[in-house]
């Protein structure tokens, strides 16, 4: 008896001391270190290419041009290089394509001797408006420092100077803010050491592909290439880091284009190694000065769920079971959130989750009610996670999923589907949105003809909340394809992504509302990223579903 | 006969082909290279010292403070270092003394994770007004880039960044121009790697020296120390290069203080090696990227004449005959300009020389007529050159000088001296100025009691054009001493240099008019150099004439 008491006491002690340790880190330090080491081993070598500007250009206010500004070619760069920069202050150089890298310029005296420093301003733009619209006074929501204008003091001639920060741009405006009246000088050269980790060339499209689709594909590839650096960045201008949502779409596009799967592997390991102590994932991580997560950022529920889908897709594409098995505990852990905010009907209580600090993203769209979309994402992720488990022979470890999938699907159908409208609604306001319908179709809550009916009703529903950005358009197109509305899918790719092409895009934009070109989630449209990972997925559609995108 | 003709022909050919060569370079390329090599061999090693700010300070508008701004200490730098920089944007750090060197700062996150770059502005000031007065819109005459404000984008945390340009300042204002709302950060450290080539300590002043004179001496020493880098710079903020006029005064001050004569040697050789092709001197030269003159700048006549005086002073101070002999051809050559613009009376035709492009500097004072002052400088320089020739046993090479000295002295007396006024006048307007009287006294055109009378008449003459800057004040004080008005000399040092001390100078200013603190030759007073070589000569007077500067 005393022996038993002693044992119980020992056990209690063990629990007391081991529980905080378990609570401190869901994965072991050793495991994390090993994951980060694998991430490091898979860091790609950047391919560096020297690129020179191809022309000078005039940025002209033009009400029918994208955002009201047009770039009109205006001679060769040599015109700038050989004459006084003082007299050409404000000149814009055009590199002819979107580039990401390090900008170097050279100055030489033209007349007399340099007797004073020179103050120059370089403004870099992905799109023409960025080198035309004044940045100050700045009232946007994100750091003013994202905007790519750099002021440089040159103290010695001749000079060759590299701006320290990495830049992403096609256009650069050069302004002289200060110079001596006693000498003259020229900007004699400039170039970019452009970087990407893409080293492969995707297979050519079928010759029957329309010109527009070929362009949409090419610009999607450029977008992806620019975002593929030492991680899948969201945008090389802004935020320049690895977000799960972008990783998910980039890795899908990569599977059907560059096939550089080791970058996906690196990113999956990086996110795992830097997960929260409770095992749930941070929505984004940084690489430098050493890999670290955005500690302090809110938990982004939908992104954590999409990690599992990216891991499953990676396994299917590569058959790399070692990685999938190694990271399985991370995927499994993400499922532990599913039932936290379900009501008796298996419907997600989004309002409460948001109130408790969860970030429900879904789309850049302030008006969007997220409940129904999250319901769909949860079911979709559970199904994909179950597939992953099956591929690894680990179904038993997630044996709660089939029941949850069933309950949540029924709940969605019974609680969120408005039979009269033939549409899913979301939240207390019973909002109808593209996001809700798309995600619940992707989740398979409705299928085939039933799903088609939903989509057709949606297109007729005047007040439906539309997608706010290419990220949500992706899932809408996927849902259209999944339910067989392939012509509608094609039409969206041609009109939405094709719309950007027609408006002069070199890479696809983070935010694009055809009816409001100055829309910005950040209060200032030059802050938007105009080369954004999540917008590259035209590549994925065109290459995964070639039959849909052939000429009729 | 044929033989003779052949010889004549050969001689003619030789002349034809050698004359252009001689005309191309008064000194041989070989000689110049040798001179530049000696200059390089005498380049001092810079002494580097790490200096931290001593306090935070409030810059307060105060009508009785110098230029209307006062620096009020406001706590320890640690107050800044340990709390949000965002909330302390605009803070001014005080390094407690004037420093020249490279500024480094460190940033660390305080809260959450850095998720965006930060845009900072650092404004460096030698005097409080420079960190208080807006620089833009800028309408000054010199390059805006001299003004010491630098905008830096910080892309990674923690960060330690050194601003590339060398700076000269006591105060630095730190402003946050852009930052993310999602994290906070602190400026956790900053320092200057201060440089000077001064490695010696001058002898202490006599204990009978007044407190004010001791301060004037100390600040003069600081000024000289800050300007003594790898050449005698005119000002470490602006223009940061070797001008003959500044070299002349700095080397005089150095002879009586730091005694680092090899720097003088270096500078004399540098100017010689970089002289114009016709053998006359450029008024200023630069060291980087390789030594070069300000080609294209006008010929500054008075400075070229003072080179000879600096060489003679150097010889007297060091007895380095090798250098003096080596550079004698340069000194001798400068004398060839003396007679170019003399009228029949031996009076300098300043108007014609200026019309032909010569720069007659004398002083920063637009109103000043330069004729009489130049007349004095020419005679003074000839006399000093003659002394130099005698020390080297080379009088015969400049046997034109005694006659010219005599003729020009008589000419000055007969043509420029107004017997009624008892003053020298200058130019067609018969202008009376401190510059004219001072230089003609320094030239010995009038001496002793006669000179004293001139000076006394000058002081009574209401409309006399006063010195515009310390450079001219120096020659005024020297003239007062030369003619025995030592109390007047002492009074100027106490009131003019002492006036800067009382107004808070850490180093002496390029321009100082007690009646107009915002006077600037450049149209914007923050452009003035507030640590300027030619203002350091209080050191020279106090140490060369200790008896004058003792307490009474």
């Amino acid at each position: 008896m005393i022996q038993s008491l002693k044992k119980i006491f020992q056990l209690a002690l063990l629990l007391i001391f081991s529980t905080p340790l378990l609570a401190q880190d869901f994965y072991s330090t050793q495991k994390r270190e090993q994951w980060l080491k694998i991430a490091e081993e898979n860091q790609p070598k950047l391919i560096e290419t020297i690129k020179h500007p191809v022309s000078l250009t005039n940025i002209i206010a033009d009400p029918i041009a994208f955002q009201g500004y047009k770039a009109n070619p205006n001679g060769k760069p040599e015109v700038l290089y050989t004459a006084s920069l003082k007299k050409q202050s404000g000149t814009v150089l055009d590199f002819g394509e979107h580039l990401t890298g390090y900008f170097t310029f050279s100055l030489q005296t033209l007349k007399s001797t340099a007797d004073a420093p020179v103050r120059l301003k370089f403004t870099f733009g992905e799109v023409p408006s960025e080198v035309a619209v004044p940045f100050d006074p700045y009232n946007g929501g994100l750091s003013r420092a994202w905007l790519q204008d750099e002021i440089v003091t040159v103290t010695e001639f001749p000079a060759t100077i590299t701006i320290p920060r990495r830049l992403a741009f096609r256009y650069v405006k050069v302004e002289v803010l200060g110079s001596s009246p006693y000498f003259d000088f020229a900007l004699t050269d400039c170039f970019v050491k452009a970087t990407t980790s893409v080293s492969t060339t995707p297979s050519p499209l079928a010759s029957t592909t329309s010109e527009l689709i070929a362009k949409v594909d090419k610009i999607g590839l450029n977008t992806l290439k620019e975002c593929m650096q030492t991680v899948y960045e969201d945008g090389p201008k802004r935020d320049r880091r690895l977000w799960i949502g972008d990783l998910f779409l980039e890795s899908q596009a990569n599977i059907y284009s560059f096939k550089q799967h080791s970058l996906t592997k690196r990113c999956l390991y990086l996110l795992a190694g830097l997960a929260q102590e409770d095992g749930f994932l941070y929505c984004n991580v940084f690489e430098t000065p050493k890999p670290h997560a955005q500690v302090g950022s809110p938990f982004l529920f939908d992104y954590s769920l999409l990690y599992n889908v990216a891991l499953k897709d990676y396994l299917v594409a590569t058959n790399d079971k070692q990685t999938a098995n190694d990271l399985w505990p991370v995927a499994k852990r993400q499922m532990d959130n599913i039932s936290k905010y379900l009501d008796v009907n298996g419907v997600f209580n989004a309002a409460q989750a948001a109130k408790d600090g969860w970030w429900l993203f879904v789309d850049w769209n302030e008006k969007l009610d997220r409940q129904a979309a999250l319901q769909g994402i949860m079911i979709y992720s559970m199904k994909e996670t179950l597939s992953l488990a099956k591929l690894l022979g680990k179904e038993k470890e997630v044996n709660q999923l089939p029941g949850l999938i069933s309950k949540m699907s029924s709940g969605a159908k019974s609680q969120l589907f408005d039979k009269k409208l033939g549409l899913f609604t979301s939240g207390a306001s019973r909002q109808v949105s593209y996001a809700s319908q798309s995600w619940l179709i992707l989740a398979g809550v409705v299928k085939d003809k039933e799903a088609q009916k939903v989509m057709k009703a949606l297109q007729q529903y005047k007040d439906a909340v539309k997608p706010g950005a290419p990220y949500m358009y992706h899932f809408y197109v996927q849902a259209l394809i999944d339910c067989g509305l392939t012509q509608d899918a094609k039409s969206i790719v041609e009109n939405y992504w094709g719309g950007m092409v027609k408006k002069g895009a070199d890479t696809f934009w983070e935010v694009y509302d055809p009816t409001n070109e100055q829309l910005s989630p950040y209060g200032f449209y030059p802050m938007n990223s105009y080369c954004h990972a999540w917008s590259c997925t035209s590549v994925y559609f065109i290459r995964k579903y070639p039959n849909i995108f052939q000429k009729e």
Side-chain angles (χ1 to χ4, degrees), chain A:
Chain A
M1 185 67 184
I2 287 169
Q3 199 61 20
S4 296
L5 272 173
K6 202 175 162 184
K7 266 200 173 164
I8 289 166
F9 187 62
Q10 279 173 341
L11 203 67
L13 267 181
L14 191 72
L15 273 169
I16 287 164
F17 287 100
S18 63
T19 308
L21 278 173
L22 282 173
Q24 265 184 345
D25 194 349
F26 186 84
Y27 314 111
S28 70
T29 308
Q30 223 177 346
K31 197 80 210 163
R32 285 175 185 271
E33 282 171 3
Q34 191 194 320
W35 286 343
L36 291 176
K37 191 165 165 276
I38 295 168
E40 202 187 323
E41 286 163 2
N42 284 276
Q43 181 169 319
K45 196 177 145 40
L46 290 175
I47 316 293
E48 295 175 349
T49 317
I50 301 297
K51 296 275 189 176
H52 285 87
V54 297
S55 72
L56 306 181
T57 194
N58 278 338
I59 307 293
I60 293 162
D62 177 350
I64 63 158
F66 176 60
Q67 297 179 331
Y69 293 97
K70 197 176 166 181
N72 266 8
N74 184 34
K76 297 199 167 185
E78 285 68 29
V79 174
L80 176 68
Y81 294 165
T82 50
S84 167
L85 184 60
K86 285 188 205 178
K87 289 178 190 143
Q88 297 179 92
S89 179
T91 295
V92 177
L93 286 153
D94 179 0
F95 278 75
E97 61 185 313
H98 188 283
L99 296 167
T100 299
Y102 297 89
F103 179 81
T104 297
F105 64 94
S106 294
L107 298 178
Q108 278 182 32
T109 45
L110 277 184
K111 213 177 70 182
S112 301
T113 304
D115 71 326
V118 162
R119 189 174 174 93
L120 301 178
K121 181 175 173 180
F122 294 90
T123 308
F124 301 87
E126 296 181 307
V127 291
S129 67
E130 281 178 278
V131 293
V133 172
F135 291 165
D136 299 299
Y138 174 73
N139 293 307
L142 300 185
S143 174
R144 160 70 175 81
W146 282 120
L147 299 170
Q148 300 182 120
D149 57 332
E150 292 288 311
I151 292 175
V152 182
T153 305
V154 181
T155 55
E156 200 174 290
F157 281 76
T160 294
I161 291 171
T162 300
I163 291 176
R165 76 189 278 192
R166 202 195 68 187
L167 298 150
F169 68 101
R170 169 174 172 171
Y171 305 100
V172 54
K173 181 166 66 178
V174 189
E175 289 169 283
V176 180
L177 299 189
S179 65
S180 163
Y182 304 111
F183 80 101
D184 208 348
F185 60 95
L187 187 135
T188 53
D189 187 24
C190 69
F191 62 85
V192 178
K193 191 173 76 182
T195 67
T196 173
S197 60
V198 170
S199 59
T200 59
T201 307
S203 52
L205 297 181
S207 58
T208 49
T209 313
S210 76
E211 201 182 325
L212 178 62
I213 287 295
K215 276 190 189 166
V216 168
D217 177 73
K218 189 181 162 219
I219 291 166
L221 288 176
N222 280 347
T223 308
L224 180 55
K225 177 204 73 170
E226 290 288 280
C227 293
M228 283 172 72
Q229 301 286 337
T230 48
V231 294
Y232 285 115
E233 293 185 14
D234 58 335
K237 181 180 93 174
R238 206 217 81 242
D239 309 327
R240 303 177 44 168
R241 63 187 119 133
L242 174 62
W243 288 86
I244 298 173
D246 299 270
L247 153 74
F248 170 51
L249 295 193
E250 283 173 287
S251 64
Q252 281 200 326
N254 174 61
I255 287 168
Y256 293 92
S257 58
F258 301 119
K259 303 183 200 300
Q260 296 192 190
H261 305 298
S262 66
L263 188 65
T264 312
K265 181 175 174 180
R266 165 171 166 74
C267 293
L268 291 168
Y269 270 105
L270 213 46
L271 287 159
L274 300 170
Q276 295 179 180
E277 288 189 341
D278 60 11
F280 299 114
L281 289 162
Y282 279 109
C283 54
N284 73 87
V285 300
F286 302 85
E287 295 175 274
T288 56
K290 60 176 191 179
H292 64 285
Q294 192 185 359
V295 178
S297 62
F299 173 67
L300 203 171
F301 185 35
D302 37 325
Y303 274 20
S304 78
L305 297 172
L306 293 177
Y307 178 90
N308 293 13
V309 191
L311 182 60
K312 190 218 105 185
D313 285 350
Y314 170 79
L315 174 62
V316 172
T318 61
N319 204 28
D320 175 4
K321 283 204 176 174
Q322 197 179 337
T323 293
N325 272 313
D326 204 14
L327 298 177
W328 167 249
V330 180
K332 188 178 147 191
R333 177 60 170 160
Q334 305 317 304
M335 294 291 99
D336 293 345
N337 274 323
I338 297 284
S339 46
K340 280 186 183 161
Y341 289 99
L342 295 187
D343 68 11
V344 285
N345 298 309
V347 173
F348 179 57
N349 188 342
Q352 189 59 45
K355 210 172 155 190
D356 289 352
W358 282 14
W359 181 8
L360 309 174
F361 175 66
V362 184
D363 189 13
W364 270 137
N365 195 332
E366 274 185 20
K367 285 176 281 178
L368 181 67
D369 186 282
R370 266 85 176 157
Q371 183 200 28
L374 254 302
Q375 185 86 8
I377 296 171
M378 288 159 83
I379 299 166
Y380 172 72
S381 175
M382 284 192 286
K383 287 183 170 176
E384 293 287 305
T385 306
L386 203 54
S387 296
L388 175 63
K390 281 177 186 161
L391 289 167
L392 301 174
K394 292 185 186 287
E395 302 99 301
K396 282 184 188 164
E397 295 187 28
V398 284
N399 57 16
Q400 83 279 23
L401 292 184
L404 277 165
I405 291 167
S406 168
K407 186 174 181 182
M408 287 187 71
S409 298
S410 304
K413 207 63 192 288
S414 66
Q415 305 299 313
L416 303 179
F417 194 71
D418 183 319
K419 283 181 187 158
K420 211 170 126 196
L421 295 174
L423 288 162
F424 291 100
T425 65
S426 182
S429 67
R430 304 193 65 76
Q431 185 191 70
V432 172
S433 71
Y434 280 66
S436 302
Q437 319 310 314
S438 300
W439 274 113
L440 286 162
I441 288 169
L442 291 170
V445 172
V446 287
K447 286 180 192 167
D448 307 327
K449 295 283 170 206
E450 200 185 354
Q452 288 185 14
K453 265 176 144 175
V454 166
M455 284 304 202
K456 288 296 169 192
L458 175 68
Q459 289 162 5
Q460 299 304 317
Y461 194 86
K462 223 182 66 185
D463 292 335
V465 175
K466 291 202 168 163
Y471 179 70
M472 189 57 228
Y473 268 99
H474 169 90
F475 297 109
Y476 174 49
V477 172
Q478 185 71 72
L480 288 169
I481 292 172
D482 282 11
C483 70
L485 293 171
T486 56
Q487 281 311 302
D488 288 11
K490 185 184 179 188
S491 167
I492 296 291
V493 170
E494 285 178 341
N495 291 314
Y496 187 70
W497 276 268
M500 289 189 254
V501 173
K502 285 172 188 162
K503 289 182 176 181
D506 301 295
T507 46
F508 288 123
W509 309 326
E510 175 187 20
V511 178
Y512 174 51
D513 179 344
T515 67
N516 180 8
E517 293 174 351
Q518 301 190 357
L519 180 71
S520 172
Y522 318 113
F524 187 52
Y525 64 95
M527 184 58 79
N528 293 5
S529 161
Y530 292 93
C531 174
H532 215 70
W534 70 24
S535 310
C536 78
T537 58
S538 54
V539 167
Y540 161 85
F541 292 121
I542 292 165
R543 290 168 178 274
K544 183 171 181 184
Y545 307 104
N547 294 336
I548 298 176
F549 293 95
Q550 295 314 297
K551 276 185 194 165
E552 276 140 46

